[in-house]
Amino acid sequence: MSTEARKPPPQIALKIRRIMGGKAGWNGVAVQFAFAAILGWIGYEIVSNARANLENQHIAAGFGFLRNNAGFDVNQTLISYTGSDTFLRVFVVGLLNTLVVSVVGIFFATVIGFIVALCRLSPNWLLSRVGEIYVEVIRNLPLLFQILFWYLAVLAALPNPRQSISLFGIAFISNRGLVVPSPVGQGGLEPFLAVLALGIVASLALRFYARRALFQRGQVIRIWPSVLALLFGLPLATMLVFGLPFTFELPQLRGFNFAGGSRIIPEFVALTVALSTYTAAFIAEIVRAGILSVHKGQMEAGSSLGLSRGATLRLIVVPQAMRVIVPPLTNQYLNLTKNSSLAVAIGYPDLVSVFAGTSLSQTGQAIEIIAMTMGVYLLISLLTSAIMSVYGWRVSRSLGA
Amino acid sequence: MSDVISSNFVRRDLLAERPAPVKTTGFIGLMRTRLFNSPTNILLTILGALLLWFTIVPSVKFLMVDAVWSGKDRAACLTENAGFAVGACWPYIQAKLPQLIYGFYPEAERWRVNLTLLLAVVLLLPLLIPRLPAKSLNAGLFFVAFPVVAFFLLHGGGIKGFGLSWTAGLLQLFDESIVGAGQALLTSSRTSAIGPLLWGLGSLIVLLGTVIHWLIFPLTWLRDYIQGTGQPVWADFAVTAAIVCVIAFVLGGGVRTGGRALASSIATFIGIAVVIRLLDLDHGGLPIVTTNLWGGLLVTLVVSVTGIVTSLPIGIALALGRRSTIPLIRVFSIAFIEFWRGVPLITVLFFATYMLPLFLPGNFTVDGLVRALIGIALFTGAYQAENVRGGLAAIPRGQSEAAAALGLSWWKTTSLIVLPQALRHVIPNLVNSFISLFKDTSLVSIVALFDLLGSLRASFADPKWSTPSTAFTGFAFAGIIYFLFCFGMSRYSLFVERRLNAHRRN
């Protein structure tokens, strides 16, 4: 005959108290009520003041203005846009411009950042000093200072289009910006793109298959020759069959400006250069810290297993360093995207410049426009942090922690 | 014991000298081990030297060798007049220096700016040197007293009342707003579907307002009486000082232990009286210099110092709120922090410039500089909150458990045990955020405030000094100033970090 263990008392009152007031109990509930009352009061003040002020200035609240005609031009558009388009279209144009400068900036920042990090880690004393000077100088100057420096000093000092600096006769740099050849699609474009996409998908599938073979059967499959053939050989063969996919239209100097080619506006050049060099300094430090965080013993253990130096780096050091590098690196990418809003200082038509700047001064709809602008950036950063927490969860799961 | 080995070998002649080991220290050693030890390394050394050659040499040439050092206007800095390819045009900086430092601050009043800067340096330096004593007094002076004095020095103007009048005015404003909200509820209750509920709530709020009105009646009556006397500021000052001293004495423990609190509050009020007397605040104070005349380095420093002073309390409050177990407060803190951290500073400044005035009562205008300061304080506060939270997380649980075992309340645990340790931990991070704040102050030039960068940009437009090298000279000058400030702060943060981690070094 055994006595059953008694159930613990339910303590419902305690649980309710805990849920409603935290550790502070009923005091916490009281604090919350007071806090909610204060928030409510502030909210009431804001709403009533805003309503009165908007009435005084004869501004109709609401998002109806988005359907009105904008009536101003934008000097760089990725989608077709004219002055008679709506403010909603202006919003999209600005957003796309922000995204394009961010993506280009992120690409160059990563490349420069890794190069500088390698310089700083190099055993060569002089090169590591050069890397250090770069990082210290760039990090200790404000970004806006650097943007204005590139725009007002360096790009303004370039010669006019007639005396522009030629890069191998293909691209031209002048104070009107950078003129590069523009690709013009030919007959072979569609088959070329289709084959290229096919090659990429096939290579990914091949890699997936090879990894499964490695992990399940211990079978090493060498895939790089076939991947090379898929990615380069196949498109080349298509090109021979269907003709060139596209040709380049070279820019030509006509009169005072260039004809043909596509022009990249100087604001874009200045912004990209400043953003990528600035962020690169931070990325360099992150990469350096990540690689230094891998213990020396890992490298030694790798070589004691008979792996070559390259294989040790590729299979042992870099994966461990990436775990440290990726979260702050994403943070820097996010910072770059947010910093691209400084474009408004030099008139690059990004979201803040055309929407929170020009559109705001034309319509006066401050609340709606600034809320939309902030919302876009907030959405981007929340999405990024959501992705990063999934990544962190996967990393901690793969470590078995 | 007897079988001693007789054939002990003793060497009779010296060994031949071995060659000295290859030197690995000193300049030669450095060259041998780190610069020229392999063909790749030699190549890399040449690459590094080339990089330096093509950056350092032209900069030095521009700043020193080819520079023009004196002149009256742009003519001195033109190649055809100077006779050589002109580098930096330093007379331009000399001519624009007052504008870059003071903006359009009236020339006769610039001693006030200098005095403020001097005060800041005198208060800040002892705070930064860890060996000097009286840190809490020093910090109190720098973070609380100095901003107030600096405001009256830089902006000028006087006061019409003191603590009592301000308290009474604030409470009255609060009371009026509550009554207004209640009235609004009452009027909307007539048309709403949930009319009775709104009516009840509205009446309750109006009743609350009336009760507050009668509660603060002695205060408002005293205020009106004081304002009627001939010396309102000093009368108000005396009353406030007496009330605060009595409260401090009672809270400090009465006759038994309250002497200390009484003495310190009396000392504080004597200090305040001296400041009021010196700056003549009771008779209108110094002539007012409106903030649209401020500019240059002055604005940069004002914005960054105000930013750090105001963002730290906001950050501490948010960090404590985020770690709180009370649901509403935690959720609010998380939302607040993540919101401000998720948006770029420039949109925050746009928010403060265009949206904030709409949220305030119509008769209440806020100065442009103050608007930017509010935006920056909120923005930086969110970042500081994350710094402080890192420090709070680093404090072991045992500390607060020990405090609880001693019977300390939450407030005492936090303010006496946890926060001092947490803040000490995060000093390097706080300094790092101060560096980024200092750099970010340049953004205020976008919302039409003339900080150092804004003044520089404005000075480019002067036709008297427009030469091909003007822009480069200006950027070189401003760059050197920014670099000195930021680099100095980052070295200081490294120094503090090393000092804090002294016990961890092997």
Side-chain angles (χ1 to χ4, degrees), chain B residues 76-224:
Chain B
C77 297
L78 290 176
T79 305
E80 49 266 37
N81 295 345
F84 54 90
V86 169
C89 179
W90 293 120
Y92 151 71
I93 293 294
Q94 281 160 22
K96 294 287 176 191
L97 195 60
Q99 196 191 330
L100 291 181
I101 292 180
Y102 305 104
F104 297 105
Y105 211 88
E107 212 166 335
E109 307 288 336
R110 278 181 194 160
W111 61 269
R112 285 155 58 175
V113 180
N114 296 338
L115 185 63
T116 314
L117 291 182
L118 186 76
L119 258 178
V121 171
V122 166
L123 285 176
L124 188 60
L125 273 186
L127 198 61
L128 295 184
I129 301 171
R131 245 179 309 163
L132 293 183
K135 279 281 176 285
S136 54
L137 174 69
N138 199 338
L141 282 177
F142 182 75
F143 285 110
V144 182
F146 170 69
V148 178
V149 174
F151 170 78
F152 284 113
L153 260 178
L154 290 176
H155 181 265
I159 47 177
K160 292 206 176 64
F162 200 68
L164 191 109
S165 305
W166 298 336
T167 321
L170 269 181
L171 286 176
Q172 212 169 20
L173 213 66
F174 176 68
D175 186 35
E176 275 161 17
S177 160
I178 284 185
V179 173
Q183 303 283 11
L185 274 181
L186 283 184
T187 46
S188 67
S189 74
R190 285 191 208 112
T191 54
S192 169
I194 46 167
L197 187 69
L198 288 184
W199 185 85
L201 203 62
S203 321
L204 205 68
I205 291 177
V206 171
L207 185 71
L208 186 73
T210 322
V211 170
I212 291 178
H213 177 76
W214 286 107
L215 276 180
I216 63 172
F217 180 72
L219 220 55
T220 45
W221 177 82
L222 197 59
R223 195 248 332 249
D224 293 340

Side-chain angles (χ1 to χ4, degrees), chain A residues 18-24 28 31-32 35-36 39 41 44-46 49-50 53-54 57 122-128 130 133 136-142 144-145 148-149 151-154 157 278 282 335 338-339 341-342 344-346 352 356-357 360 366-367 370-371 373-374 377-378 381-382, chain B residues 30 33-35 41-42 44-45 47-49 51-52 174 177-178 180-181 184 325-329 332 338-344 346-348 350-351 354-355 357-362 383 397 435 438-439 442-443 445-446 453 456-457 460 471-472 475-476 478-480 482-483 486-487 490-491:
Chain A
R18 186 66 196 261
I19 290 168
M20 287 176 68
K23 275 184 192 161
V31 169
Q32 280 183 81
F35 190 68
L39 279 188
W41 177 63
Y44 161 75
E45 280 287 304
I46 286 178
N49 285 334
N53 284 326
L54 288 179
Q57 296 173 13
S122 143
N124 187 298
W125 182 82
L126 193 64
L127 211 57
S128 73
V130 170
I133 292 173
E136 286 297 336
V137 169
I138 295 283
R139 282 205 311 180
N140 283 315
L141 291 176
L144 185 62
F145 172 91
L148 290 181
F149 172 75
Y151 186 62
L152 293 178
V154 177
Y278 182 77
F282 290 87
N335 273 348
K338 287 196 277 177
N339 282 336
S341 58
L342 291 183
V344 65
I346 56 171
V352 172
L360 174 59
I367 296 179
I370 290 178
T373 314
M374 282 181 150
Y377 286 104
L378 199 60
S381 72
L382 288 182
Chain B
L30 178 88
T33 55
R34 306 278 308 270
L35 290 177
N41 232 353
I42 292 174
L44 289 178
T45 307
L47 184 71
L51 275 177
L52 280 182
F174 176 68
S177 160
I178 284 185
T325 54
I326 301 172
L328 185 64
I329 290 183
F332 174 79
E338 293 306 327
F339 176 75
W340 293 113
R341 277 163 49 93
V343 295
I346 188 67
T347 58
V348 175
F350 270 77
F351 161 83
Y354 297 114
M355 225 159 134
L358 292 177
F359 291 164
L360 296 171
Y383 280 85
R397 276 177 76 103
I435 296 176
F438 186 82
K439 290 193 290 176
S442 54
L443 265 64
S445 63
I446 294 175
L453 203 56
L456 183 75
R457 204 175 172 180
F460 290 156
F472 284 100
F475 277 117
I480 290 169
Y482 276 119
F483 183 80
C486 297
F487 189 70
S490 71
R491 290 294 113 167

Side-chain angles (χ1 to χ4, degrees), chain A residues 63-396:
Chain A
F63 290 92
F65 76 97
L66 284 175
R67 282 191 294 278
N68 296 352
N69 281 354
F72 58 87
D73 271 328
V74 175
N75 61 354
Q76 177 192 312
T77 54
L78 293 182
I79 53 175
S80 71
Y81 169 83
T82 57
S84 57
D85 277 318
T86 59
F87 281 110
L88 190 62
R89 191 118 178 133
V90 173
F91 174 76
V92 177
V93 165
L95 182 59
L96 286 176
N97 280 340
T98 293
L99 291 180
V100 82
V101 80
S102 308
V103 169
V104 174
I106 283 173
F107 172 74
F108 284 113
T110 314
V111 171
I112 302 172
F114 273 81
I115 291 174
V116 174
L118 290 183
C119 280
R120 286 209 65 182
L121 287 168
S122 143
N124 187 298
W125 182 82
L126 193 64
L127 211 57
S128 73
R129 277 307 97 96
V130 170
E132 200 179 329
I133 292 173
Y134 173 84
V135 169
E136 286 297 336
V137 169
I138 295 283
R139 282 205 311 180
N140 283 315
L141 291 176
L143 176 59
L144 185 62
F145 172 91
Q146 296 185 31
I147 292 176
L148 290 181
F149 172 75
W150 288 106
Y151 186 62
L152 293 178
V154 177
L155 289 185
L158 288 174
N160 59 21
R162 291 185 70 94
Q163 277 103 38
S164 60
I165 302 162
S166 156
L167 300 176
F168 312 112
I170 301 170
F172 298 90
I173 303 176
S174 66
N175 56 8
R176 297 274 193 84
L178 179 68
V179 186
V180 291
S182 56
V184 179
Q186 300 287 334
L189 186 61
E190 280 106 19
F192 176 79
L193 286 181
V195 167
L196 196 65
L198 190 77
I200 291 173
V201 171
S203 332
L204 285 178
L206 205 62
R207 180 166 182 274
F208 180 70
Y209 170 72
R211 283 188 83 82
R212 276 221 9 210
L214 178 67
F215 287 146
Q216 289 186 346
R217 303 194 296 275
Q219 184 186 3
V220 180
I221 305 174
R222 179 175 292 196
I223 58 165
W224 64 265
S226 23
V227 167
L228 217 62
L230 278 173
L231 285 185
F232 294 97
L234 217 53
L236 267 177
T238 350
M239 247 200 267
L240 290 179
V241 177
F242 290 98
L244 284 174
F246 46 77
T247 51
F248 284 105
E249 186 193 16
L250 288 182
Q252 307 259 313
L253 189 64
R254 289 237 186 87
F256 291 102
N257 215 333
F258 285 98
S262 36
R263 191 170 76 94
I264 299 173
I265 56 173
E267 289 83 10
F268 181 85
V269 177
L271 193 64
T272 313
V273 170
L275 279 177
S276 47
T277 49
Y278 182 77
T279 315
F282 290 87
I283 289 179
E285 284 298 278
I286 289 168
V287 171
R288 189 178 78 104
I291 291 178
L292 286 182
S293 77
V294 180
H295 198 267
K296 202 170 67 177
Q298 297 286 331
M299 192 86 195
E300 293 165 359
S303 47
S304 80
L305 286 176
L307 294 175
S308 71
R309 197 183 140 81
T312 321
L313 274 177
R314 191 162 52 84
L315 297 174
I316 292 174
V317 177
V318 170
Q320 296 188 62
M322 279 325 255
R323 230 173 44 218
V324 183
I325 291 173
V326 166
L329 191 65
T330 335
N331 225 343
Q332 286 305 324
Y333 290 165
L334 198 59
N335 273 348
L336 190 145
T337 311
K338 287 196 277 177
N339 282 336
S340 70
S341 58
L342 291 183
V344 65
I346 56 171
Y348 172 76
D350 82 320
L351 181 62
V352 172
S353 178
V354 293
F355 197 60
T358 320
S359 302
L360 174 59
S361 60
Q362 290 214 348
T363 61
Q365 304 274 359
I367 296 179
E368 295 84 358
I369 284 182
I370 290 178
M372 276 174 83
T373 314
M374 282 181 150
V376 165
Y377 286 104
L378 199 60
L379 194 68
I380 293 175
S381 72
L382 288 182
L383 272 182
T384 316
S385 61
I387 293 169
M388 277 332 287
S389 50
V390 171
Y391 173 82
W393 172 74
R394 277 196 54 178
V395 163
S396 64

Side-chain angles (χ1 to χ4, degrees), chain B residues 40-63:
Chain B
T40 9
N41 232 353
I42 292 174
L43 212 66
L44 289 178
T45 307
I46 293 172
L47 184 71
L50 279 179
L51 275 177
L52 280 182
W53 181 262
F54 281 112
T55 50
I56 302 275
V57 171
S59 330
V60 171
K61 205 160 168 242
F62 177 82
L63 292 176

Side-chain angles (χ1 to χ4, degrees), chain B residues 274-319:
Chain B
V274 168
V275 169
I276 292 178
R277 185 71 252 163
L278 276 181
L279 291 177
D280 217 15
L281 292 182
D282 50 334
H283 295 112
L286 295 164
I288 290 180
V289 181
T290 49
T291 53
N292 55 5
L293 294 177
W294 300 15
L297 192 59
L298 170 66
V299 165
T300 300
L301 290 176
V302 164
V303 172
S304 46
V305 171
T306 322
I308 196 74
V309 169
T310 48
S311 69
L312 203 55
I314 297 178
I316 291 174
L318 285 175

